[in-house]
Amino acid sequence: MKEVKSTKHLIIRDLSWLAFNARVLQEAKDPTNHISDRFRFLGIFSNNLDEFFRIRVAALNKMLLLGKEAKMHLEANPDKILKKIQQTVITQQEEFDSTYEDIIKELEKKGIFIKNEKQLTKRQKEYVFRFFEEKIRTEIVPLMIETIPHMPFLRDKSIYLACVLGTKKEASIIQRYALIEIPTKVLPRFVILPSESGEKDVILLEDIIRLNLPSLFAPFGFDRFMSYIIKVTRDAELDLDNDVNTNLIDELEKGLKNRKKGRATRFVYDRNIDPLLLNFLIKRLNLTKKDNLIPGGRIHNFKDFINFPSSVFTDIHSRQKPFVHPLLQQPRRIMSVLEKHDVMLHFPYHSFDSVIDLLREAAIDPFVQSIRITCYRLAKNSKIINALINAVRNGKQVTVVLELRARFDEEANIRWKEQLEEEGVKVVLGLHTMKVHAKICVIKKREFNRTKQYGFISTGNLNENTALYYGDHCLLTTNRNIIADMNRIFDYLENPNKKIQKLRSCKILPVSPMNMRKVMVAHINKEIKVAQKKKKAHIIIKLNSLVDKVLIGKLYQAAKAGVNIKMIIRGICCAYTEQKSFHENLSAISIIDEYLEHARIFVFNGSTKPDIFISSADWMIRNLDHRIEAACPIYDPTIQQELIDILNIQLAENVKGRILDNEQSNIYVKRTANKPQIRSQVAIYKYLHDKKYKN
């Protein structure tokens, strides 16, 4: 296999990720988006950045400490990368603050005001005083951080009001410092105030506390108060013991406790903070200038703005509702439909209910014997789990391969494990050495001495909540070869020490870590041979992230050979698309819009019959070498054309598409006078909604 020889030929993944998050910020800036959506994108940007510091910056810090001993992929110079991250994040923070101010001005034009504690009317102050006494006072305990021997541990994901307390008589002589954790876990961040006719006023929870600081501290002789929001982001990566004899549950629970006390990777503060207080906090938190000290505005934890109260808007638009695939509309036996032909569900356009309906049908069908399924991230009140539990109660054998290490869902998955086992479900915790990320299911039925099997394989999680806004594809099939390979994967996962040959013997599904990269390389090589014969060779790739050096190297080679390669990559793209030797043959766009583009599709179209795959795996080292992943070939000509049509609509995107150039400057795809405006997510909904199927 050919791989890129030097990182000079690759864009640094962390800087590419920051460019992706800048595209999210572009959506917050876009005045054509509704204000509620602009707030939502501010929240997504903020939440993304939090996770970036918890995971990637934490990893780079570890690499810096380990030096040459660190196993690095594209991070040959972590110190340089960290400095560049710091510079980029500060610049983006300034742009973020400016965007927020612009949105506030637009809100005010609509008669909606986010008020602080100094802007309240008499009636609003009375309301806020009552709200504080009835709802907040018992939820907070101020900490006098100067007088306690050890600095309290500041929790990740929380925001704190750092207070300077003094007296007007001795303003320059006596001052004390206090911390108050804002109780957003138990109370809403936004409180709607009684307002004048034609206005709607909102106040933040921390500003209610600010107004009531005298109530908290006056009894101790203070009558002068200053306060500033601060926030610490911590290392959230779990360092699990690689000893296979270690109990995974114990290790996870230990790791989760340690995560809450992880090393600080970022300290964000109000840029107007009292300098003496800032120096005091930096010293007491054992931070240095290398620890990403980020000055910000008055407000932090903007992720809460994802849930800004929609009730204040009178013109909010509702999303197009998912619709049931025409072939699966109830009442109908889904298994009978699948015996005739495969069905592809495209979320969030198609309803996820069809997946749940299939599992419910299996749960009550007297001829169904067993269900095997992998679960990674589940909905809070999962209908998937409910259907599986009912299947057990109806006498079916149910096996759930549950990945406990789904990042930030570990605690929820531990609870699901306990509940499933209590109901009699066989729970397999997957592998100790790698995550199980494949999304597969097999239903086995024995009827009139004949065994029938039905299955599905998805690019995204089996989660009815995220399926409302994640763009994914799910193939429902009875194809014997596909299901045989899915059973081989399950056989291996249930007994990995004795069944490794099962994974190696998959005939149809490319599987990580065994052969997915090799299969993708083989298909790229096939296109290269077609191009070398002076015939048209085409590749279309849709991914969340393109990082793998080997596959990027093969794409470079293919483009040089004359293969036309078009890519749709939502997030990280480490490939340079502008090189003299193949500039015309390699291009990439990113689409950031209302739905999160999450699907992975690979189309190799140089031969008479295209080879098309859907997959759960991005082209990243972790997905190809350190996870159980699966890709699935699509054989049905109707579904093949469906996927190609959807990809072509996305490649024609000229509203929410950005060109991924070498500088990752996020320039929008240009609209030309002779081409119509195409917003792909709107166009795909119409395409699928209007599509006719033969039963």
Side-chain angles (χ1 to χ4, degrees):
M1 290 187 195
K2 185 183 180 74
E3 71 174 63
V4 178
K5 293 180 181 179
S6 168
T7 54
K8 291 180 181 179
H9 300 287
L10 296 166
I11 295 169
I12 294 170
R13 64 172 282 183
D14 296 299
L15 302 185
S16 180
W17 185 93
L18 287 171
F20 150 67
N21 213 30
R23 295 193 283 279
V24 176
L25 188 54
Q26 282 181 325
E27 287 301 303
K29 292 173 67 176
D30 188 345
T32 66
N33 289 330
H34 190 276
I35 291 180
S36 64
D37 289 328
R38 295 177 70 185
F39 266 147
R40 185 167 62 88
F41 280 111
L42 281 182
I44 293 169
F45 173 91
S46 177
N47 191 57
N48 286 348
L49 197 59
D50 286 349
E51 291 198 14
F52 177 72
F53 274 90
R54 289 184 189 116
I55 305 302
R56 287 303 306 166
V57 172
L60 288 165
N61 282 331
K62 289 175 184 175
M63 289 177 183
L64 198 59
L65 290 172
L66 289 170
K68 293 181 180 180
E69 296 178 11
K71 293 181 180 179
M72 301 179 192
H73 300 301
L74 305 183
E75 298 85 7
N77 191 334
D79 186 42
K80 185 178 179 181
I81 295 170
L82 285 166
K83 288 176 182 175
K84 185 64 177 175
I85 288 171
Q86 170 88 347
Q87 294 167 2
T88 304
V89 168
I90 289 175
T91 301
Q92 287 184 351
Q93 184 65 52
E94 291 171 355
E95 190 175 354
F96 181 98
D97 294 341
S98 173
T99 302
Y100 176 72
E101 292 301 323
D102 288 343
I103 295 174
I104 291 300
K105 290 175 184 176
E106 290 300 313
L107 268 185
E108 291 174 353
K109 290 178 184 178
K110 293 178 177 287
I112 302 168
F113 299 87
I114 298 179
K115 290 193 167 184
N116 64 39
E117 74 282 4
K118 296 178 182 179
Q119 300 169 323
L120 304 179
T121 65
K122 183 179 178 182
R123 183 163 69 113
Q124 288 173 338
K125 281 185 179 180
E126 290 171 354
Y127 178 85
V128 165
F129 287 141
R130 284 198 309 273
F131 190 92
F132 178 82
E133 292 299 329
E134 294 171 5
K135 304 284 188 181
I136 301 176
R137 183 182 284 277
T138 56
E139 299 292 346
I140 58 175
V141 178
L143 299 171
M144 306 303 292
I145 53 179
E146 279 187 302
T147 59
I148 51 180
H150 301 289
M151 184 71 175
F153 193 84
L154 303 193
R155 294 196 290 186
D156 190 28
K157 299 186 180 181
S158 292
I159 50 174
Y160 293 82
L161 200 61
C163 305
V164 180
L165 313 174
T167 62
K168 292 175 182 177
K169 292 180 180 178
E170 304 175 61
S172 61
I173 302 173
I174 300 175
Q175 59 181 34
R176 296 286 183 263
Y177 301 140
L179 277 183
I180 301 172
E181 182 175 358
I182 307 302
T184 53
K185 292 181 176 62
V186 293
L187 292 171
R189 182 82 183 273
F190 306 99
V191 176
I192 298 175
L193 296 166
S195 309
E196 299 298 323
S197 177
E199 289 187 6
K200 290 189 179 176
D201 297 336
V202 179
I203 189 169
L204 291 163
L205 188 60
E206 58 263 36
D207 287 338
I208 294 178
I209 297 173
R210 278 186 166 114
L211 185 65
N212 284 275
L213 288 178
S215 172
L216 288 171
F217 295 112
F220 301 98
F222 298 108
D223 57 11
R224 189 176 66 90
F225 313 97
M226 294 184 290
S227 57
Y228 315 90
I229 288 290
I230 63 167
K231 169 183 168 180
V232 171
T233 306
R234 297 192 178 279
D235 181 347
E237 193 66 9
L238 298 179
D239 288 321
L240 297 183
D241 194 332
N242 287 325
D243 181 0
V244 294
N245 296 317
T246 303
N247 184 292
L248 183 59
I249 299 289
D250 291 344
E251 279 294 297
L252 262 178
E253 289 177 341
K254 178 182 175 183
L256 288 168
K257 289 177 182 177
N258 289 337
R259 170 186 284 173
K260 294 171 183 177
K261 297 182 179 180
R263 185 180 181 277
T265 58
R266 180 180 56 159
F267 178 66
V268 186
Y269 58 91
D270 185 333
R271 62 171 55 88
N272 295 316
I273 193 171
D274 178 83
L276 293 176
L277 172 59
L278 178 61
N279 290 333
F280 175 83
L281 290 169
I282 290 171
K283 184 177 179 181
R284 291 296 303 271
L285 291 169
N286 296 317
L287 299 171
T288 68
K289 291 182 180 180
K290 290 186 177 182
D291 288 316
N292 289 290
L293 309 179
I294 310 292
R298 177 183 168 95
I299 302 170
H300 296 299
N301 260 19
F302 267 87
K303 65 182 177 62
D304 294 333
F305 277 75
I306 295 173
N307 299 313
F308 188 81
S310 58
S311 60
V312 302
F313 300 106
T314 56
D315 61 342
I316 196 164
H317 73 287
S318 59
R319 290 183 176 183
Q320 295 268 39
K321 291 184 179 180
F323 56 92
V324 175
H325 193 292
L327 295 175
L328 304 180
Q329 288 178 351
Q330 297 299 303
R332 186 173 293 174
R333 288 174 66 92
I334 294 177
M335 283 186 272
S336 296
V337 175
L338 298 183
E339 287 170 10
K340 296 177 183 178
H341 43 66
D342 291 353
V343 175
M344 177 74 84
L345 299 175
H346 307 282
F347 309 127
Y349 313 102
H350 287 144
S351 172
F352 190 80
D353 287 350
S354 297
V355 175
I356 298 164
D357 288 338
L358 175 59
L359 290 173
R360 283 177 177 156
E361 183 180 314
I364 61 176
D365 189 319
F367 297 105
V368 167
Q369 294 179 324
S370 66
I371 302 172
R372 301 163 106 183
I373 191 169
T374 61
C375 293
Y376 192 74
R377 297 189 193 277
L378 294 157
K380 187 175 181 180
N381 299 304
S382 175
K383 294 177 182 178
I384 295 284
I385 294 293
N386 186 53
L388 297 173
I389 288 172
N390 284 323
V392 170
R393 291 172 179 171
N394 279 319
K396 320 301 180 189
Q397 292 181 339
V398 178
T399 301
V400 174
V401 179
L402 186 63
E403 180 49 71
L404 294 182
R405 291 164 296 179
R407 187 179 289 147
F408 304 123
D409 278 346
E410 299 95 345
E411 290 178 90
N413 285 354
I414 289 172
R415 290 194 296 271
W416 285 127
K417 172 188 178 294
E418 293 169 352
Q419 183 177 343
L420 287 166
E421 288 181 335
E422 285 175 4
E423 295 286 350
V425 175
K426 179 182 177 183
V427 178
V428 177
L429 297 182
L431 308 179
H432 201 294
T433 54
M434 63 183 73
K435 291 182 181 181
V436 179
H437 197 249
K439 281 79 177 180
I440 57 176
C441 175
V442 174
I443 298 165
K444 185 177 180 181
K445 183 175 177 179
R446 184 76 177 168
E447 186 177 19
F448 307 122
N449 294 321
R450 285 186 60 202
T451 298
K452 300 178 182 179
Q453 295 190 83
Y454 313 80
F456 60 79
I457 182 166
S458 179
T459 66
N461 297 312
L462 307 182
N463 184 317
E464 61 268 27
N465 291 344
T466 56
L468 292 171
Y469 55 92
Y470 274 41
D472 277 304
H473 307 287
C474 181
L475 178 70
L476 280 60
T477 184
T478 56
N479 183 290
R480 291 184 179 183
N481 292 326
I482 291 173
I483 288 178
D485 275 1
M486 285 199 281
N487 277 320
R488 290 183 180 104
I489 295 172
F490 279 116
D491 288 344
Y492 169 71
L493 293 174
E494 290 184 53
N495 200 344
N497 294 327
K498 297 181 180 179
K499 300 287 185 179
I500 188 67
Q501 69 275 13
K502 289 285 186 181
L503 204 59
R504 289 175 176 157
S505 62
C506 287
K507 298 175 182 178
I508 300 297
L509 304 185
V511 178
S512 294
M514 295 300 170
N515 68 342
M516 188 167 315
R517 186 187 283 108
K518 289 181 181 178
V519 171
M520 295 299 119
V521 166
H523 278 86
I524 296 171
N525 283 335
K526 185 178 176 182
E527 296 300 313
I528 291 172
K529 289 179 181 178
V530 171
Q532 288 171 341
K533 294 177 182 178
K534 305 301 179 183
K535 296 181 179 179
K536 290 184 178 180
H538 303 276
I539 297 174
I540 302 175
I541 296 166
K542 183 176 181 183
L543 292 163
N544 289 283
S545 298
L546 173 62
V547 177
D548 187 73
K549 289 195 293 185
V550 172
L551 290 170
I552 291 174
K554 292 304 296 184
L555 291 175
Y556 287 169
Q557 184 185 349
K560 287 177 183 177
V563 180
N564 185 266
I565 304 168
K566 296 185 184 300
M567 302 190 293
I568 305 164
I569 299 173
R570 175 175 59 88
I572 302 168
C573 179
C574 292
Y576 284 112
T577 58
E578 299 173 316
Q579 295 194 31
K580 291 181 180 179
S581 56
F582 57 73
H583 175 62
E584 293 183 358
N585 290 327
L586 181 63
S587 62
I589 63 167
S590 175
I591 299 169
I592 306 292
D593 199 356
E594 186 172 8
Y595 304 133
L596 185 144
E597 297 291 343
H598 190 252
R600 294 88 167 180
I601 312 172
F602 319 126
V603 179
F604 305 95
N605 205 17
S607 58
T608 54
K609 293 183 179 180
D611 294 312
I612 302 177
F613 297 85
I614 63 170
S615 181
S616 58
D618 283 310
W619 284 6
M620 302 180 74
I621 292 140
R622 71 180 187 194
N623 299 85
L624 300 171
D625 295 334
H626 305 296
R627 288 184 176 183
I628 301 294
E629 302 269 20
C632 181
I634 305 300
Y635 297 121
D636 185 294
T638 300
I639 296 175
Q640 284 188 338
Q641 191 59 52
E642 220 169 69
L643 285 171
I644 289 173
D645 288 346
I646 288 170
L647 289 171
N648 283 333
I649 290 171
Q650 291 181 323
L651 288 168
E653 166 76 61
N654 58 14
V655 177
K656 297 295 185 180
R658 285 81 161 172
I659 297 167
L660 297 182
D661 55 22
N662 287 4
E663 291 74 33
Q664 306 241 326
S665 49
N666 294 331
I667 298 169
Y668 281 86
V669 174
K670 289 183 180 179
R671 298 179 201 169
T672 55
N674 60 339
K675 286 188 177 181
Q677 178 175 299
I678 297 174
R679 188 170 179 177
S680 59
Q681 292 182 354
V682 174
I684 291 168
Y685 186 97
K686 186 177 188 308
Y687 165 81
L688 291 171
H689 192 269
D690 296 346
K691 189 174 175 62
K692 306 298 181 184
Y693 295 88
K694 293 181 181 179
N695 287 314

